[in-house]
Amino acid sequence: MTAVTDEDQSKGSGTRKRDGRWDDGLIARRAAAARTRRAADPAPRTPDDDEADLQVEAYAPAGGPLPTRLDALRELVGLSRARLDRETLAEAGRVLDEAAARQRLSSRHTVIAVAGATGSGKSTLFNALAGAPISDTGLRRPTTSQPIACSWTDGAAGLLDRLAVPGRLRRRPHPGPAAFDEALQGLVLVDLPDHDSAATEHREQVDRVLALVDAVIWVVDPEKYADAALHERYLRPLAGYAEVTFVVLNQTDRLPGEAADLVLDDLRRLLDEDGIALGEHGEPGATVMSLSALTGDGVPELRELIGRFVQDRTAAARRLSADIDAAAGRLRPVYVAEGRPGLGEAAREEFTDRLAEAVGATAAGQAAEREWRRNASRACGTPWLRLWRWYENRGLPGSLDRMGQALTPPEEEPTARQRVEQAVRIVADDAAGGLPGPWAQAVREAAFTGAQGLSEALDDLAVKAGAPGAGKRGGGTETGRNTAVGALPGGRPAKPPRPAWWPAAVLAQASMTLLQIFGGLWLVGQIVGVLEPGLVVPALVMLAGVVGGPLVEWACAAAIRGPARRYGQDAERRLREAAAGCGRARVLDPVSAELARYREVRERYVTVTEFSTTGR
């Protein structure tokens, strides 16, 4: 309490001055306790010892789910700052700040506010609970303009400072049964202004204090218990605080017969519609009862309920838990996904296929296979067929290659860059599907940021691999006939490897050619008369060479079919893996990192909500 003058003390709180010393309850008890200690312990004591005796226990629950939930909420806010705006996290930050402030204060005190509408009799009930006319009552409205506090025990100054209750409005119950009730030791009762007051500052004070107290007693009267302002502005939004809520129907002395029970039943119905759980049949929830503060009917029962509530020492923890539930409920849209979002194997494979298509992996494999076949044909084909193919490949007018190029229609398919952009967009949408808005946006941004320069990187891979049209994919013109797969340093295409049986095939083809030449020369020698006549043998020798050459070439073509296909598939696989690695490093890994961050905050959110006391 703040210091006041002697006159104020004697007038305002009934304090008396006897034998030159104050004789109010607070100072008298402290002085008596000090004298008793000094009589029992003659050893000198320092001022610090007296201050230590007056210290109160800070609110620090060692067990239960509250510390775990607060830690999880703190981590949740920290992990989300880079993804969510400040306004979204403001309520959670306020809850953490208020929880830290409450935990630094006394755990032996329970702060209960008495709130109600104009004329509901809340100040009269406040005085009845305190056992003395502490709060002004009367016909003038509003009667209560500022919060008035009544503390049953010492050590509540920090709590009242937090509520911004002025020192001149802090009271102690007058000596009597209410003041010495053991069950009420630790109670701090606060009488609030009218929540429906015409003065705006009064309503603002009500809202401010209600956000800080441990519990609240709502006082309603038979005339305005169904007031929409009370239910829509306070009771319904505060439905999650049912365990720290008392709803008292006052002025039952004005109701005849069984009307009080009917009104009380209707009040319970309205509270049920507001979503407030009612603590009936031993279940946790709001306490609802009727009384008359003016006549005292029902006040002892309420005082007994409050006493048990205070001695339970869990009101502050329940209030903080309900605050966490409310903050978690507001954060639910930004943390709870629809379905099971993520990046599955099917989406990854589809992304890899699209990149492989963009980089031309299939065309590169086919080109590698053709190159392998072409080299085999050159090595194992007959000289005359190789000569004919050389003539066709000279690019003369009318050649097959020129005719094929002339008949090739203009390319109408998307360019490689467009294919890459489409692949990134599809995989980003798949990964972000079902995620809350901010996290879906973060996933898409990670994908599109990583995709910058992806087309150029794939072009570099194609150039190094010697894929068809490499270096021209940005415009989508896959022209050129660089068919080698793999490249030497400097970008020169590498020649396909040759199998071990190629020299034997070349030797056999050369032998067949020599047989043709030898048989032909033999026949010519016989025709010109240089050699003795005998057409059968040279004809057979020449025929053997003519038939054997195509047979060797056919056998080689059959033999090279499998190796050529495997070589093309290996070339396609290497280029596909290179494109997949590039896409994974630039797009999939950043997207996976964002999904991992979301899963982490989702786990924190689950920890925050899994111990909910309100079922939210």
Side-chain angles (χ1 to χ4, degrees):
M1 298 177 67
T2 58
V4 295
T5 63
D6 296 353
E7 183 179 0
D8 293 336
Q9 287 279 6
S10 60
K11 292 181 180 180
S13 59
T15 302
R16 293 168 293 177
K17 188 176 183 181
R18 296 179 179 176
D19 301 329
R21 60 185 175 83
W22 294 106
D23 194 18
D24 68 347
L26 173 61
I27 298 178
R29 280 194 295 273
R30 290 180 178 177
R35 287 195 298 271
T36 303
R37 288 195 302 270
R38 284 196 296 269
D41 184 10
R45 296 175 62 85
T46 64
D48 293 339
D49 295 332
D50 295 334
E51 293 179 3
D53 291 334
L54 297 177
Q55 289 179 355
V56 297
E57 179 185 0
Y59 181 83
L66 182 59
T68 302
R69 298 184 70 194
L70 287 173
D71 291 341
L73 183 61
R74 191 174 296 107
E75 294 176 2
L76 180 68
V77 172
L79 292 171
S80 304
R81 291 191 187 279
R83 298 295 179 269
L84 303 180
D85 58 84
R86 184 175 301 178
E87 294 181 358
T88 303
L89 298 174
E91 178 63 17
R94 186 196 66 79
V95 169
L96 291 173
D97 293 341
E98 296 300 339
R102 182 63 181 91
Q103 288 178 337
R104 288 193 295 266
L105 300 174
S106 173
S107 65
R108 296 190 292 114
H109 290 80
T110 301
V111 183
I112 302 179
V114 182
T118 303
S120 61
K122 59 181 178 56
S123 296
T124 303
L125 178 60
F126 178 85
N127 293 333
L129 293 174
I134 296 176
S135 183
D136 295 335
T137 61
L139 297 178
R140 182 178 59 87
R141 300 288 181 244
T143 303
T144 306
S145 59
Q146 288 184 306
I148 301 175
C150 180
S151 177
W152 266 252
T153 53
D154 302 337
L159 292 170
L160 296 178
D161 289 340
R162 180 168 174 252
L163 299 180
V165 177
R168 60 185 176 83
L169 297 178
R170 301 180 185 183
R171 301 286 188 268
R172 299 295 297 274
H174 287 212
F180 298 108
D181 189 346
E182 290 295 331
L184 298 181
Q185 302 305 304
L187 172 63
V188 179
L189 203 61
V190 182
D191 186 19
L192 297 181
D194 303 332
H195 69 77
D196 59 349
S197 173
T200 304
E201 60 272 15
H202 293 181
R203 299 195 301 269
E204 292 176 351
Q205 289 192 55
V206 172
D207 295 341
R208 178 183 59 81
V209 175
L210 287 179
L212 301 176
V213 296
D214 299 330
V216 59
I217 300 175
W218 288 101
V219 182
V220 299
D221 61 86
E223 294 181 356
K224 294 191 293 184
Y225 72 91
D227 186 21
L230 171 64
H231 290 268
E232 294 179 3
R233 185 176 181 183
Y234 292 104
L235 295 181
R236 194 168 301 160
L238 298 178
Y241 297 83
E243 292 189 27
V244 291
T245 300
F246 294 79
V247 183
V248 175
L249 175 64
N250 192 18
Q251 303 177 4
T252 56
D253 57 295
R254 298 168 51 188
L255 298 174
E258 299 179 353
D261 293 335
L262 296 177
V263 173
L264 189 62
D265 290 340
D266 193 48
L267 175 60
R268 288 194 176 97
R269 179 187 62 81
L270 294 175
L271 295 176
D272 183 67
E273 292 178 357
D274 291 333
I276 297 180
L278 304 181
E280 299 176 340
H281 310 295
E283 298 177 355
T287 300
V288 183
M289 63 178 299
S290 61
L291 53 78
S292 174
L294 186 62
T295 64
D297 183 26
V299 174
E301 288 80 1
L302 176 60
R303 185 182 290 111
E304 181 182 356
L305 291 174
I306 294 176
R308 292 201 299 266
F309 184 77
V310 170
Q311 294 306 313
D312 193 35
R313 309 291 189 198
T314 60
R318 293 182 187 180
R319 169 59 196 255
L320 293 179
S321 183
D323 285 339
I324 296 174
D325 291 342
R330 294 186 181 95
L331 292 175
R332 180 179 177 82
V334 298
Y335 287 117
V336 178
E338 299 177 1
R340 299 178 60 87
L343 201 58
E345 289 299 325
R348 292 175 179 270
E349 290 293 335
E350 183 179 357
F351 179 68
T352 300
D353 292 340
R354 292 180 182 276
L355 291 187
E357 181 183 0
V359 81
T362 302
Q366 294 173 353
E369 182 177 354
R370 288 195 300 269
E371 182 71 9
W372 210 97
R373 288 176 177 271
R374 186 178 297 110
N375 289 340
S377 298
R378 290 171 181 172
C380 304
T382 61
W384 326 118
L385 184 58
R386 292 168 60 185
L387 181 63
W388 173 252
R389 289 172 178 170
W390 170 82
Y391 173 77
E392 283 190 336
N393 292 333
R394 287 176 56 192
L396 298 177
S399 65
L400 294 179
D401 284 353
R402 290 292 183 178
M403 293 176 61
Q405 294 178 13
L407 295 176
T408 302
E411 183 177 355
E412 297 180 357
E413 297 182 357
T415 64
R417 181 181 298 275
Q418 292 173 338
R419 293 193 185 100
V420 171
E421 293 175 353
Q422 183 183 21
V424 172
R425 183 169 58 255
I426 291 175
V427 76
D429 291 340
D430 288 341
L435 285 175
W439 301 100
Q441 180 64 23
V443 167
R444 291 189 177 93
E445 289 179 357
F448 296 146
T449 301
Q452 295 178 1
L454 179 59
S455 297
E456 290 75 8
L458 293 177
D459 277 344
D460 293 340
L461 289 177
V463 169
K464 293 178 181 179
K472 300 182 180 181
R473 300 183 182 278
T477 55
E478 296 186 2
T479 59
R481 296 185 56 84
N482 182 7
T483 55
V485 175
L488 297 175
R492 293 181 293 106
K495 293 183 178 181
R498 296 186 177 185
W501 53 265
W502 274 24
V506 172
L507 179 60
Q509 192 65 259
S511 300
M512 296 300 103
T513 303
L514 290 177
L515 287 177
Q516 295 178 46
I517 295 174
F518 180 74
L521 293 176
W522 194 346
L523 289 176
V524 171
Q526 290 181 352
I527 293 173
V528 297
V530 177
L531 298 176
E532 295 181 359
L535 298 178
V536 177
V537 177
L540 290 177
V541 172
M542 185 175 180
L543 181 61
V546 172
V547 175
L551 288 177
V552 171
E553 183 174 1
W554 175 83
C556 291
I560 66 177
R561 187 176 297 118
R565 184 180 299 108
R566 288 192 296 271
Y567 180 72
Q569 291 173 348
D570 186 60
E572 179 181 355
R573 178 186 55 79
R574 290 197 303 269
L575 188 54
R576 177 183 290 270
E577 290 178 353
C582 186
R584 181 171 56 252
R586 290 176 174 267
V587 177
L588 296 184
D589 287 349
V591 168
S592 298
E594 286 297 329
L595 292 174
R597 177 186 287 268
Y598 169 74
R599 286 191 293 270
E600 187 176 4
V601 299
R602 183 71 173 86
E603 292 174 359
R604 299 299 189 279
Y605 182 79
V606 170
T607 303
V608 170
T609 57
E610 66 180 345
F611 297 107
S612 172
T613 59
T614 62
R616 292 187 177 185

